[in-house]
């Protein structure tokens, strides 16, 4: 990873990120990816494919911000999957946080969400997006009180957890067949960086043990069940489905 900022005053912030997330800095010529910090925040580029565009986390003005305002609230499939439509506002442990979009949707509907991410670069992007959101006058206060990132693998963190979330949410990487050009570009960079989460099946037993109410697994519609385990119910959208494993009733 080549880590770079055009602004000298941001060097110490980048050094902090490098330490917090064990980013391994490489020379510009050796690195496949670049992390650039500028006025837009932290952005990831794939060096030999600049046309793929940058990946960054933007809860303030991006697509997730739009979805928060116009996305259908508690009628959305994800809201039903975690039980928000039953009047409950569950605590959620998002054990595969990625860029934090699903977690943000849940937090915007009142859930307290703890986010686990194990990939150093993804965790740094998420951390940076959260810092910008925390400082925003409109959403800062509730994002601070409802979204907290923990860097590390859920295989360890779930086993060591000192609290019991109502819901454990899982959305591991899966080979994509996405058609939209924008999503396709972003997915390609992301997939090259993270790969497929081959060990995802083994998260389910940990999640089922920890969640007091339910485990929700997001899958593309063409994917089999996680760990080959049949869910208690399914909520389907156009391209995805939420497999819900119920441990106890929501209320
Ligand atoms: C498909 S992405 C999640 C996208 C996310 N739901 C969102 O809305 O942005 C999957 C992420 O889970 C992370 N991940 C997979 N297994 C993990 C584990 N055992 N512990 C922590 N993070 C994990 C991957 O590094 C990847 O960033």
């Amino acid at each position: 990873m080549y880590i770079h900022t055009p602004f000298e005053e941001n060097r110490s912030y980048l050094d902090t990120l490098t330490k917090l997330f064990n980013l391994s800095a490489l020379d510009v010529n050796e690195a496949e990816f670049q992390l650039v910090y500028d006025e837009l925040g932290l952005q990831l580029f794939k060096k030999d494919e600049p046309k793929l565009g940058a990946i960054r986390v933007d809860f303030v003005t991006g697509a997730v911000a739009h979805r928060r305002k116009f996305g259908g609230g508690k009628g959305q499939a994800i809201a039903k999957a975690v039980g928000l439509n039953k009047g409950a506002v569950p605590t959620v442990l998002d054990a595969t946080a990625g860029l934090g979009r699903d977690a943000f949707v849940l937090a915007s509907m009142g859930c307290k969400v703890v986010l686990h991410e194990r990939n150093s670069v993804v965790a740094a992007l998420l951390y940076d997006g959260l810092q910008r959101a925390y400082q925003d006058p409109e959403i800062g206060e509730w994002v601070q009180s409802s979204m907290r990132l923990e860097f590390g693998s859920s295989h360890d963190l779930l086993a060591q957890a000192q609290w019991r979330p109502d819901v454990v949410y899982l959305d591991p990487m899966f080979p994509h067949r996405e058609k939209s050009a924008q999503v396709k570009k972003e997915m390609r960079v992301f997939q090259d960086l993270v790969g497929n989460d081959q060990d995802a099946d083994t998260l389910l037993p940990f999640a089922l043990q920890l969640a007091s109410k339910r485990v929700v697994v997001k899958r593309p519609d063409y994917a089999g069940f996680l760990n080959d385990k049949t869910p208690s119910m399914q909520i389907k959208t156009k391209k995805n489905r939420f497999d819900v494993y119920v441990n106890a009733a929501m209320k």
Side-chain angles (χ1 to χ4, degrees):
M1 183 67 56
Y2 175 57
I3 306 169
H4 170 73
T5 178
F7 309 118
E8 202 40 48
E9 64 270 26
N10 294 325
R11 238 313 106 215
S12 70
Y13 177 64
L14 275 188
D15 290 344
T16 305
L17 290 184
T18 304
K19 278 195 202 109
L20 272 177
F21 300 108
N22 303 326
L23 293 168
S24 48
L26 286 179
D27 185 79
V28 64
N29 298 317
E30 288 173 86
E32 192 187 353
F33 292 97
Q34 284 191 22
L35 270 178
V36 177
Y37 186 79
D38 62 16
E39 59 280 357
L40 290 174
L42 193 66
Q43 305 182 72
L44 174 74
F45 294 90
K46 191 157 185 231
K47 227 178 62 190
D48 57 352
E49 293 185 272
K51 287 207 179 114
L52 287 183
I55 292 187
R56 74 182 181 119
V57 173
D58 181 11
F59 296 125
V60 180
T61 62
V64 282
H66 184 269
R67 183 170 168 193
R68 177 175 73 86
K69 290 179 183 152
F70 309 109
K74 294 183 182 171
Q76 295 174 77
I78 188 173
K80 290 182 188 158
V82 302
L84 271 158
N85 63 324
K86 309 231 172 207
V89 186
T91 52
V92 179
L93 198 164
D94 181 345
T96 56
L99 300 174
R101 291 171 181 170
D102 292 332
F104 182 77
V105 169
L106 295 174
S108 70
M109 288 184 279
C111 298
K112 303 274 183 227
V113 189
V114 172
L115 300 89
H116 291 173
E117 176 53 53
R118 68 177 168 187
N119 181 282
S120 298
V121 177
V122 179
L125 289 167
L126 183 53
Y127 174 90
D128 181 64
L130 282 170
Q131 301 312 304
R132 276 178 281 115
Y134 291 160
Q135 281 152 29
D136 182 73
E138 192 187 339
I139 65 169
E141 208 169 307
W142 65 258
V143 176
Q144 268 202 47
S145 66
S146 57
M147 291 178 79
R148 185 163 56 80
L149 170 64
E150 287 182 10
F151 173 48
S153 172
S154 288
H155 285 93
D156 305 323
L157 296 174
L158 291 181
Q160 298 158 8
Q162 300 292 314
W163 66 298
R164 289 200 79 186
D166 296 321
V167 177
V168 175
Y169 183 81
L170 301 172
D171 174 22
M173 294 289 283
F174 200 87
H176 264 259
R177 297 184 195 159
E178 192 58 69
K179 289 203 175 63
S180 119
Q182 185 49 40
V183 175
K184 219 173 171 179
K185 282 182 186 172
E186 206 184 82
M187 273 323 296
R188 260 179 61 196
V189 178
F190 204 73
Q191 203 129 34
D192 284 355
L193 181 76
V194 177
N196 291 318
D197 294 323
Q198 307 282 6
D199 55 357
D201 280 340
T202 55
L203 275 178
L204 190 59
F206 285 111
L208 283 168
Q209 212 165 24
L210 192 65
S212 63
K213 300 282 167 51
R214 56 176 67 181
V215 175
V216 174
V217 182
K218 184 176 176 183
R219 304 293 272 169
D221 52 6
Y222 52 85
F225 298 133
L226 193 64
N227 208 22
D228 282 333
K229 189 170 170 67
T230 307
S232 323
M233 62 178 177
Q234 290 183 293
I235 294 166
K236 293 184 181 173
T237 65
K238 240 200 246 165
K239 293 182 197 143
N240 293 309
R241 52 167 220 274
F242 295 94
D243 295 339
V244 182
Y245 300 85
V246 173
N247 272 346
M250 219 56 220
K251 284 193 94 180

